[in-house]
């Protein structure tokens, strides 16, 4: 499978950049650690892996998933409510 190469197109502030794929138009806003954050501005071709590099750091595929509380963050009361509501929280985690 072909990989699209992303390039930096804008540096908003130190550690915050906009990257773009010249082949499919994908655009992301990327904040480097320690406050890492990635926001997809334009999805482009989501079926193609994207990668890029800058200053010895390489960006490769990143899986994006919504944050979900860990089981340890769910109180016994909340766990009971979920179970009583027909939601099998432990199995879905």
């Amino acid at each position: 499978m072909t990989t699209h190469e992303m390039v930096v197109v804008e540096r908003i502030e130190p550690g915050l950049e906009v990257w773009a794929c010249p082949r499919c138009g994908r655009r992301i806003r990327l904040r480097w650690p320690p406050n890492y954050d990635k926001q997809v501005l334009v999805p482009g071709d989501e079926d193609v892996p994207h990668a890029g590099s800058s200053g010895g750091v390489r960006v490769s595929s990143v899986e994006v998933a919504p944050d979900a509380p860990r089981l340890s963050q769910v109180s016994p009361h909340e766990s009971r409510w979920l179970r009583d509501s027909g939601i099998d929280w432990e199995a879905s985690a």
Side-chain angles (χ1 to χ4, degrees), residues 38-68:
K38 178 185 155 201
Q39 182 179 32
V40 177
L41 304 172
V42 177
D45 187 344
E46 294 181 302
D47 294 327
V48 175
H50 287 80
S53 63
S54 173
V57 177
R58 184 164 181 80
V59 176
S60 61
S61 309
V62 177
E63 182 178 324
V64 179
D67 285 343

Side-chain angles (χ1 to χ4, degrees), residues 6 12 16-19 26-31 36-43 62 64:
M6 302 211 31
I12 299 169
L16 181 60
E17 302 168 338
V18 175
W19 289 65
R26 180 176 180 83
R27 290 177 67 87
I28 63 169
R29 186 167 58 195
L30 184 66
R31 181 178 301 278
Y36 177 79
D37 184 47
K38 178 185 155 201
Q39 182 179 32
V40 177
L41 304 172
V42 177
V62 177
V64 179

